[in-house]
Amino acid sequence: KQQQQQDWHSSSSSSSNGAAAGRTWVGFSFNTGLGDAELKFYEFAEDGRLAGPPQPYQLPGVSVAMIHDIAVTPDYYVVVAGPVNFDAAKFATQYLTSRCSIAECLVYDPSQTTKVHLVPRPQGAAAGTAAYIMDAPPMFTFHHVNAFTTVAPSSSNGNSSRRTQQLVLDTVAWDEVAFENNQYNLTPAYYSGGARSHLRRLVFNLDPPNPAPPSPNSRSSSRAGSSHSTGRLVG
């Protein structure tokens, strides 16, 4: 398996940017191979000690992915898995003969949807429930800007009204990406109509409020549930 780099975020019980006292530093590691892809989330207290055991999460139905960054809210780790496939033929004929990098064996497929995984944090309000898996338009992300939860405007139905919780994700995304691009083969044409990054906002309805609890015999402490919502691209 290939170990991806760790990334670090700070959060608190009242703010996703670590502005309040009692901050928790959140990191993750990512393993991907030909059989599965798994993340592990780590939470550290301000004194540098682990606040609890690492939280593993296996991406369901995914054998290869590139997860470079996550977002964090008080209740969820937010993981964006773009539509990336593994080119096994290129791996066997070029990577193993040192004619390409491992990244060049990844192929972006805009015909597929992006999957956004909302993984419950162990001390958050959603602890003990399964992860949401949300559909989003095809995109590829390296870094995110912010994530937070809010409440949708009230909607009435007869004499009853219900307020839906939402998760908002701001991210920097590519509508297309080619992993073979590098400083040796780029031309000015790349900057005119080519793959470019854009600021995007996705809004997800957290409805039902929490998916079903994970299976007791699950191999991961955070287990994915079925898809519940489709993200709206609003910016």
Side-chain angles (χ1 to χ4, degrees):
K1 292 184 177 180
Q2 183 180 8
Q3 178 80 28
Q4 297 285 81
Q5 70 179 52
Q6 294 183 341
D7 200 6
W8 304 95
H9 302 261
S10 63
S11 66
S12 71
S13 59
S14 60
S15 172
S16 62
N17 63 7
R23 294 178 299 179
T24 300
W25 295 94
V26 178
F28 79 99
S29 61
F30 177 60
N31 289 319
T32 185
L34 299 180
D36 57 21
E38 183 182 69
L39 295 100
K40 283 188 178 179
F41 303 101
Y42 306 85
E43 302 218 6
F44 295 87
E46 288 191 277
D47 62 4
R49 299 182 182 183
L50 273 173
Q55 302 295 308
Y57 177 73
Q58 186 173 356
L59 294 173
V62 175
S63 61
V64 66
M66 180 180 284
I67 309 298
H68 182 76
D69 192 16
I70 64 171
V72 180
T73 75
D75 297 327
Y76 294 100
Y77 310 114
V78 183
V79 180
V80 179
V84 174
N85 298 322
F86 183 70
D87 189 338
K90 192 171 187 178
F91 176 82
T93 60
Q94 297 188 37
Y95 176 75
L96 293 181
T97 57
S98 301
R99 290 189 291 150
C100 75
S101 68
I102 189 65
E104 292 176 84
C105 298
L106 303 179
V107 181
Y108 179 72
D109 184 357
S111 68
Q112 301 181 28
T113 59
T114 295
K115 298 295 183 181
V116 179
H117 301 254
L118 309 182
V119 184
R121 293 178 63 184
Q123 303 302 323
T129 66
Y132 287 101
I133 307 175
M134 308 294 206
D135 289 328
M139 63 181 70
F140 183 82
T141 64
F142 272 114
H143 290 291
H144 308 300
V145 179
N146 191 26
F148 59 92
T149 54
T150 185
V151 177
S154 299
S155 60
S156 59
N157 183 7
N159 295 325
S160 63
S161 63
R162 180 167 59 90
R163 295 174 68 81
T164 301
Q165 188 180 32
Q166 294 180 324
L167 188 141
V168 180
L169 173 66
D170 294 323
T171 186
V172 179
W174 280 261
D175 296 327
E176 58 178 295
V177 64
F179 295 101
E180 65 269 17
N181 282 339
N182 56 53
Q183 67 267 35
Y184 302 110
N185 60 19
L186 283 180
T187 68
Y190 172 81
Y191 298 98
S192 176
R196 302 295 297 275
S197 58
H198 307 274
L199 182 62
R200 292 286 185 257
R201 167 163 285 188
L202 290 164
V203 178
F204 301 98
N205 288 336
L206 302 184
D207 185 21
N210 288 313
S215 170
N217 60 358
S218 169
R219 203 158 61 90
S220 298
S221 62
S222 295
R223 190 65 175 176
S226 58
S227 294
H228 290 282
S229 178
T230 297
R232 293 187 295 109
L233 184 64
V234 298

